[in-house]
Amino acid sequence: MEKEYRGHVVVLPYPSQGHINPLLQFAKRLASKGVKATLATTRYTLKSICVTNIGVEPISDGFDEGGFAQARNEDIYLKSFKANGSRTLSELIQKFQDSASPVSCVVYDSFLPWALDVAKQHGIYGASFFTNSATVSHIFCLIHHGKLSLPVNLASTPLLIPGLPPLNFPDLPSFLKLPESYPAYLAMKLSQFSNLDMADWIFGNTFEELEAEEARSISKLWPAKLIGPMVPAAYLDGRIEDDKCYGASLWEPFSEDCIKWLETKPAKSVVYVSFGSMVALTLEQMEEVAWGLKESGLHFMWVVKESEHDKLPDGFMDSTKEKGLIVTWCNQLEMLANQAIGCFVTHCGWNSTLEGLSLGIPMIGVPKWADQLTDAKFVEEIWGVGLRAKEDDKGVVTKEELLMCLKEVMDGERSQEIKKNASKWKELAKQAVSEGGSSDKRINEFVQHLIRPNKK
Ligand code: UDP
C-alpha cells in the first residue's frame, strides 16, 4: 500500500544557537507525527547539526565560511542573509518540487519574514515561528501597529498594557528603552510583523498555561498557536525516541567531563551558571559573579565561553578548583537534568528560561539585554520560580546581591515556595506537550491541515 503523504515542511531558523534549538525541535516534533521535515540552515552552521529523522539542507547567508562573525556588522549580515537566503531557499523549494515529496509549507523564524515571500512565490504555505515569549512578541506587535511608541520612557508609573502585568522600567526589553542601541536588531524585531497578515500560521514557543492571560488578550493582533515549550522530549513527554538534546551545537560541548564532575556532588547542591550564547559580560560584572560564586561556598559549574575567559579575575580558577568547574560549552539540558543541580543562574534568554521551567530548576535571573529583562520579571513575579538579581546604579549585579539571591533560592525563607512553584511548572510544561495537552493539540491541528489541506 502506498504510504500516506503527510506533507513536507521546510524549517528555517535564524542561525544562532537560541534560534536553531527551538526550530529544530519543532522539526523533530513534526517528524514524530509523520510529517516529512527538512531543516534549512546556513552553510556555515550545517556542520553543527547532528540529527536523525529529519533532513538537513544548506542555504546561504552570503557568509559561508564564517557566518555572522565574517560579516562586519548586523546590518551587513541581515541584508546579505535576506538577499542570499531568499535565492537559495527558493532553489531548495524548487529542487523538491519535482520529487515525491514537494514542499508544502515553510516554517520560518519570525526574524526572517522574507522567507514568507519566497513561500508565497512558490504557492505554498508559510508559517512564522516566534522564538520569544508571547508577552514580548505582543509588545513588539503593538509598536509595529503604532499602539506603543519608542523610546518607552517611564518616570515612575509602570507601563500598562491590557492583558500584561504592569511593566516597570527595568522589565522592558532593552530595545524599547534604547532604540538606538542596536538599530538593525530593532528593525528586525519590528519586521517580524511586516507581512505577517499573509502568513498561514503563526507559532509561539510558549504554552497557554504559562502565559494564559497574555495569550487570550493578544490573540487578535498576534493570533499565534502556542506550541511550546520546544525542549527535547526526553525532558517532557518522552514521545520522541532518544531525544535528549536539540541536535545542534555551535561550540564543542564538554558534557562528559561535566557529568562525571556532577556525579560526585550531593543532590541539589550545585549552582549551574550560564549567560547563553550571545551575552558578553563587562569586566566588572564578570568579577562580581566570580567572587559571588566563590564567597557563596557552594559548588558551581560556570559556562564561560572561550571569548570571555580573559575576563575571569586573576587567581580565580586556582582558588576555586575544589568547588567549581568552568567549561567553555556543554549540553545545558543534560546539566540541568542532573540530580546535583540545585539552582540555575541564567541570563533569562527565552530558551534557557523555558528549559529551567521545564526541568523544574529554581532560577536566579541576571538579565542583560533584549527580552531577557522581561523574562526575568516573569521568573520572579509571575511564575515564582526564582529571583531576579537587582542591578546597582551602574547596571551591575554585585557579588553581595548574587550572594543574597543564592542563599535565598538554595536555602532561604522563599526557597520552599520557589521549589514548589518550580515543580508545578515542570508538570504543566510536560502536560502541554503530552498527548491532549494544549500545545500538542495546536501542533496536531497544523499536521491535520497539512494532510487534508482543505480543512483549515
Ligand atoms: N546552551 C547550551 N550550552 C551552554 C549554554 C547554552 O546548550 O553551555 C543552549 C541553551 O540550552 C539554550 C541556548 O543555548 O537552548 C541559548 O538560548 P537562549 O535563548 O537561552 O539564549 P541566547 O543564547 O539566545 O541569548
Side-chain angles (χ1 to χ4, degrees):
M1 204 173 74
E2 202 175 312
K3 207 174 155 207
E4 185 185 19
Y5 178 59
R6 299 196 130 202
H8 180 182
V9 174
V10 165
V11 177
L12 174 71
Y14 181 84
S16 69
Q17 192 73 65
H19 286 246
I20 295 174
N21 285 358
L23 277 111
L24 178 53
Q25 194 56 39
F26 191 49
K28 287 192 275 170
R29 189 55 84 171
L30 293 174
S32 77
K33 291 177 182 287
V35 173
K36 180 177 167 65
T38 300
L39 183 85
T41 194
T42 56
R43 292 207 174 95
Y44 178 66
T45 53
L46 199 69
K47 58 185 179 301
S48 310
I49 313 289
C50 175
V51 276
T52 50
N53 297 334
I54 68 163
V56 183
E57 293 280 345
I59 58 156
S60 179
D61 55 8
F63 296 100
D64 297 343
E65 307 305 319
F68 179 76
Q70 198 189 340
R72 283 197 303 283
N73 62 37
E74 298 92 42
D75 200 33
I76 292 175
Y77 182 75
L78 294 171
K79 282 188 179 135
S80 170
F81 196 7
K82 181 175 178 179
N84 292 286
S86 299
R87 178 178 49 78
T88 49
L89 175 64
S90 179
E91 287 164 6
L92 181 64
I93 296 170
Q94 195 56 47
K95 180 178 111 174
F96 283 114
Q97 256 2 39
D98 302 324
S99 72
S101 46
V103 180
S104 34
C105 182
V106 175
V107 175
Y108 63 94
D109 194 311
S110 60
F111 281 11
L112 311 173
W114 44 260
L116 179 59
D117 300 332
V118 175
K120 291 296 144 194
Q121 281 154 20
H122 285 269
I124 60 177
Y125 294 125
S128 184
F129 187 109
F130 281 69
T131 58
N132 287 159
S133 69
T135 299
V136 169
S137 302
H138 182 49
I139 293 173
F140 282 99
C141 187
L142 288 176
I143 298 168
H144 168 78
H145 286 285
K147 293 177 190 283
L148 188 65
S149 45
L150 293 177
V152 175
N153 231 328
L154 306 174
S156 55
T157 51
L159 178 65
L160 298 173
I161 297 176
L164 302 189
L167 295 167
N168 291 303
F169 199 62
D171 311 328
L172 294 175
S174 60
F175 302 145
L176 268 63
K177 298 183 269 195
L178 300 165
E180 68 290 353
S181 57
Y182 289 93
Y185 282 155
L186 174 60
M188 179 169 74
K189 287 268 197 190
L190 295 175
S191 77
Q192 299 177 105
F193 307 95
S194 60
N195 56 0
L196 200 58
D197 52 339
M198 274 167 45
D200 299 286
W201 290 273
I202 303 170
F203 296 119
N205 185 18
T206 179
F207 55 104
E208 250 162 61
E209 296 74 13
L210 190 63
E211 294 184 273
E213 217 180 306
E214 294 78 2
R216 265 194 295 279
S217 60
I218 65 188
S219 59
K220 276 200 197 97
L221 270 186
W222 188 72
K225 286 183 185 290
L226 309 186
I227 47 74
M230 276 301 130
V231 166
Y235 308 102
L236 294 166
D237 59 321
R239 287 190 295 160
I240 307 177
E241 215 179 312
D242 280 338
D243 191 33
K244 289 204 189 90
C245 58
Y246 289 102
S249 205
L250 300 184
W251 295 273
E252 191 195 346
F254 290 92
S255 302
E256 244 175 73
D257 300 345
C258 300
I259 294 291
K260 271 194 204 139
W261 186 83
L262 285 174
E263 234 102 80
T264 64
K265 305 292 174 283
K268 305 208 181 303
S269 65
V270 178
V271 182
Y272 171 81
V273 188
S274 168
F275 292 90
S277 63
M278 293 177 76
V279 164
L281 296 182
T282 61
L283 208 55
E284 197 179 347
Q285 182 62 85
M286 195 83 172
E287 290 194 352
E288 295 296 321
V289 172
W291 298 133
L293 289 172
K294 182 174 178 194
E295 282 182 32
S296 76
L298 296 163
H299 290 292
F300 65 87
M301 176 187 293
W302 186 4
V303 180
V304 180
K305 284 178 58 202
E306 213 153 314
S307 52
E308 297 275 283
H309 257 243
D310 287 355
K311 295 182 194 166
L312 284 168
D314 287 343
F316 174 72
M317 298 265 269
D318 265 353
S319 67
T320 54
K321 60 176 183 278
E322 300 297 317
K323 287 281 183 183
L325 180 67
I326 296 198
V327 286
T328 49
W329 196 252
C330 63
N331 177 351
Q332 177 162 298
L333 277 164
E334 228 182 300
M335 303 309 124
L336 293 178
N338 192 285
Q339 54 84 34
I341 301 295
C343 166
F344 179 15
V345 175
T346 171
H347 69 311
C348 290
W350 186 238
N351 295 290
S352 293
T353 305
L354 286 176
E355 290 162 14
L357 277 163
S358 301
L359 276 82
I361 310 292
M363 292 184 258
I364 296 174
V366 183
K368 287 295 159 198
W369 73 311
D371 57 326
Q372 298 157 14
L373 308 154
T374 318
D375 302 343
K377 177 200 177 74
F378 276 67
V379 163
E380 176 173 303
E381 294 177 31
I382 313 295
W383 308 314
V385 293
L387 298 178
R388 175 185 177 163
K390 309 288 174 293
E391 298 180 335
D392 68 7
D393 298 346
K394 291 185 288 174
V396 174
V397 170
T398 61
K399 69 174 184 188
E400 290 80 12
E401 172 70 13
L402 182 60
L403 264 172
M404 192 274 288
C405 291
L406 284 168
K407 273 202 187 117
E408 191 64 25
V409 169
M410 292 295 272
D411 206 17
E413 244 174 61
R414 276 181 283 180
S415 168
Q416 286 312 317
E417 186 62 24
I418 287 174
K419 286 176 188 152
K420 207 171 99 201
N421 289 333
S423 299
K424 178 186 98 178
W425 284 110
K426 176 181 175 173
E427 188 49 37
L428 289 171
K430 182 174 162 184
Q431 277 175 23
V433 295
S434 295
E435 193 160 359
S438 58
S439 296
D440 189 55
K441 279 191 198 149
R442 302 293 90 76
I443 300 172
N444 286 345
E445 286 161 14
F446 175 56
V447 170
Q448 283 303 312
H449 186 72
L450 290 177
I451 303 169
R452 292 187 222 100
N454 299 325
K455 290 190 187 159
K456 190 168 176 184

